[in-house]
Amino acid sequence: MKKIFYLIIIAGALLSFGFSSYYPIDGYKTTGIKRLYQLQKFKEDSVPYKRIPFGAYKKLEDIKLNLRSRTDSIDALLVEDKDFAKDMSKLFPGAGYSGSIMDMSNPDKLRYAAFRENVGYQPGSVGKLAVLLAVFDQMAKVCPDSWEQRAMYLRDIKVTSRYWGLGDHHTIPIYDIEKDKLVKRQVIATDEFSLYEWLDHMVSVSNNGAASIMYREAMLMAAFGPEYVNLTAETSEQYFKDTPRDSLTNLAHSVVNEPLRRLGITEDDWRLGGMFTRSPDKYVGRKGGSTGTPKGLMKFLVQLEQGKVIDEKSSLEMKRLMYSTDRRIRYAKSTRLDSAAVYYKSGSYYKCDRVKNPNCKDYAGNVFNYMNSVIIVEHPNGVKYITCLMTNVLNKNSAGNHMYLASMIDDIINKDNNAMKEAIKEVEYKSDKEDN
């Protein structure tokens, strides 16, 4: 059951909350994301922690938006630089690969390159960024006049999983502060976390159940408006029982897709067609299918850096939620990026025909084999860029190629820093059950 909040909030408490996982390690006090408490304690007590590289230790105050000075329209910014594009196009193997790259090291002189950037791919878990946007968009409508109030609700409103969060193999980190114990397991129906923690589970470990739960909450915010903050689990479930399925399907579709359209991201650029787990299907249907293009995703990330996604504070907070403070996978695993801060989301979706190939492996589908990476990279030397890479290469785990391309792209953009480093070679990628 959610807490009932008062409209009058002590000003001192608001100031202490600030503007606030992949979330900066010092963010526990502002978000209540418990796993950050353990990481912060490791850091304060000088406990060796080799799971994350140097670039993962930025503080809240260090994370900023890079393109606030550029008020241009997104179409005016995504103009290809011929020389930059020529260098980048040499890296892409051809069919099955698409990408877009924005070098924003100098905001006054952006460089953009793209390769088959309008080709659509099943976005997989990258589509969870649309749910993240939907939650922040609806929260802005629930509390239109106060960012501090929105942030407080994200931290203090707690919701249970129920059937919405079931059916995903990805585990979530659950840290007990009193017992100083961390366990990782799948979501169960009785799990209760704050909105911030569910968002962290959705983005940082790509839990599908958490994505469906936050999709649900975005729908409830849209349906109940300001009264959402007093909503109980019982009233929430009754709403889904009483509302016609087609109405709920249309609401679900509009909640996640309309904010994208307001950013100039077309239906062909990027759309989300439904929930990430099957249990909600009895109430909420799917509509239109899901697709994404490198250009559509680039439109989102560039405008995020401009502070135009809802508003500046919302843009900054969404960027913080994308900040990687856990182990890095696929594209982000490139050693070229170890010293860099990365804001990252990866996703895959594949299908195997076992009749055609009984030995068809995970992430190497022979029917389709989508793998996608979107990343903002910020090096200590001021080199900053965005890459959106989407692939569909059959019979091959493309994670190794993503990691190789990450190194090659970095060698071009960060050439002064990398010139004396040993050349990167493409190697077989060793994935594990946590890869998403």
Side-chain angles (χ1 to χ4, degrees):
M1 182 180 292
K2 297 193 179 88
K3 295 180 179 178
I4 299 177
F5 296 94
Y6 298 99
L7 294 177
I8 299 174
I9 305 168
I10 299 174
L14 287 179
L15 291 173
S16 69
F17 191 76
F19 301 133
S20 298
S21 179
Y22 282 166
Y23 202 90
I25 291 172
D26 64 335
Y28 168 70
K29 288 184 179 180
T30 58
T31 65
I33 298 172
K34 293 184 182 67
R35 72 171 183 87
L36 298 176
Y37 183 93
Q38 185 189 43
L39 295 179
Q40 180 67 24
K41 194 171 185 298
F42 284 162
K43 187 176 179 182
E44 291 173 351
D45 297 344
S46 299
V47 176
Y49 188 68
K50 298 180 180 180
R51 187 177 173 91
I52 57 180
F54 175 79
Y57 287 96
K58 271 197 172 189
K59 295 182 178 180
L60 281 169
E61 63 187 21
D62 299 327
I63 296 178
K64 304 182 186 303
L65 301 177
N66 293 306
L67 297 178
R68 290 173 58 243
S69 63
R70 297 300 302 262
T71 58
D72 320 49
S73 71
I74 189 62
D75 290 333
L77 295 180
L78 298 188
V79 177
E80 195 164 72
D81 180 296
K82 291 184 179 180
D83 292 334
F84 186 56
K86 184 178 180 181
D87 289 339
M88 288 298 169
S89 64
K90 297 174 183 177
L91 305 181
F92 288 88
Y97 290 81
S98 294
S100 57
I101 302 109
M102 170 69 81
D103 178 6
M104 54 181 178
S105 304
N106 181 354
D108 295 326
K109 193 176 180 180
L110 301 176
R111 297 191 300 164
Y112 179 64
F115 179 79
R116 301 175 73 241
E117 74 274 23
N118 292 312
V119 176
Y121 294 75
Q122 219 291 345
S125 289
V126 171
K128 290 166 185 169
L129 294 178
V131 179
L132 180 67
L133 170 58
V135 171
F136 276 81
D137 180 60
Q138 291 302 322
M139 188 56 76
K141 295 175 181 177
V142 170
C143 307
D145 302 320
S146 172
W147 163 255
E148 288 76 14
Q149 207 172 44
R150 292 178 226 167
M152 181 196 68
Y153 288 138
L154 289 171
R155 181 191 63 183
D156 291 348
I157 288 179
K158 293 181 171 59
V159 297
T160 52
S161 164
R162 309 193 289 282
Y163 55 88
W164 299 80
L166 306 182
D168 182 27
H169 71 280
H170 292 116
T171 61
I172 57 173
I174 303 174
Y175 180 63
D176 187 319
I177 292 177
E178 293 182 0
K179 296 180 180 179
D180 188 22
K181 183 178 180 181
L182 177 71
V183 297
K184 295 185 177 183
R185 60 161 174 77
Q186 295 174 333
V187 173
I188 59 176
T190 55
D191 276 338
E192 181 181 74
F193 297 105
S194 70
L195 300 182
Y196 256 132
E197 287 189 288
W198 281 122
L199 286 172
D200 182 59
H201 293 327
M202 176 182 79
V203 179
S204 68
V205 294
S206 205
N207 186 270
N208 291 333
S212 289
I213 291 162
M214 291 314 301
Y215 202 143
R216 175 193 74 193
E217 295 304 307
M219 292 177 64
L220 292 169
M221 291 177 198
F224 288 87
E227 287 304 310
Y228 167 80
V229 301
N230 297 322
L231 200 62
T232 65
E234 292 77 15
T235 303
S236 164
E237 284 303 312
Q238 197 60 47
Y239 167 74
F240 287 102
K241 291 177 182 177
D242 293 343
T243 307
R245 189 172 187 272
D246 60 344
S247 297
L248 290 173
T249 301
N250 289 334
L251 176 62
H253 187 76
S254 65
V255 158
V256 294
N257 288 292
E258 285 184 5
L260 295 173
R261 305 298 164 260
R262 292 199 295 271
L263 292 171
I265 299 170
T266 69
E267 188 175 355
D268 290 333
D269 283 334
W270 184 14
R271 66 179 180 270
L272 191 60
M275 296 276 177
F276 288 82
T277 52
R278 291 291 177 182
S279 297
D281 283 0
K282 61 180 177 180
Y283 294 130
V284 184
R286 299 170 187 273
K287 184 178 179 179
S290 296
T291 193
T293 66
K295 188 170 185 178
L297 293 163
M298 181 62 73
K299 286 181 178 181
F300 172 75
L301 292 175
V302 168
Q303 290 179 92
L304 192 77
E305 290 287 5
Q306 288 181 284
K308 289 185 175 182
V309 180
I310 303 171
D311 53 49
E312 193 171 303
K313 291 178 181 177
S314 296
S315 295
L316 179 59
E317 194 65 0
M318 281 185 272
K319 184 176 178 180
R320 286 171 174 167
L321 280 160
M322 291 180 66
Y323 178 55
S324 180
T325 52
D326 205 335
R327 69 184 187 88
R328 296 179 176 181
I329 66 170
R330 298 177 181 163
Y331 188 105
K333 197 174 183 178
S334 166
T335 55
R336 288 288 197 259
L337 308 182
D338 283 353
S339 63
V342 303
Y343 309 81
Y344 182 63
K345 191 75 197 78
S346 177
S348 62
Y349 187 53
Y350 64 91
K351 182 177 181 180
C352 284
D353 182 343
R354 304 290 181 186
V355 174
K356 184 183 295 185
N357 179 9
N359 298 316
C360 182
K361 297 179 181 180
D362 291 346
Y363 309 111
N366 57 13
V367 180
F368 54 77
N369 191 47
Y370 298 105
M371 187 169 288
N372 313 304
S373 297
V374 298
I375 191 169
I376 300 168
V377 177
E378 296 176 351
H379 282 288
N381 64 356
V383 169
K384 301 173 183 178
Y385 59 92
I386 303 169
T387 301
C388 300
L389 174 64
M390 309 186 82
T391 62
N392 181 26
V393 180
L394 301 183
N395 302 302
K396 178 182 179 180
N397 185 338
S398 297
N401 192 251
H402 277 228
M403 190 169 66
Y404 174 72
L405 281 171
S407 301
M408 301 305 292
I409 289 169
D410 197 77
D411 281 349
I412 291 174
I413 300 176
N414 199 21
K415 61 182 179 180
D416 291 340
N417 185 71
N418 296 351
M420 302 304 292
K421 292 183 178 179
E422 185 178 350
I424 293 289
K425 297 180 180 179
E426 186 174 0
V427 297
E428 184 180 356
Y429 184 87
K430 294 182 180 180
S431 59
D432 60 43
K433 63 182 180 181
E434 293 182 31
D435 278 10
N436 53 80

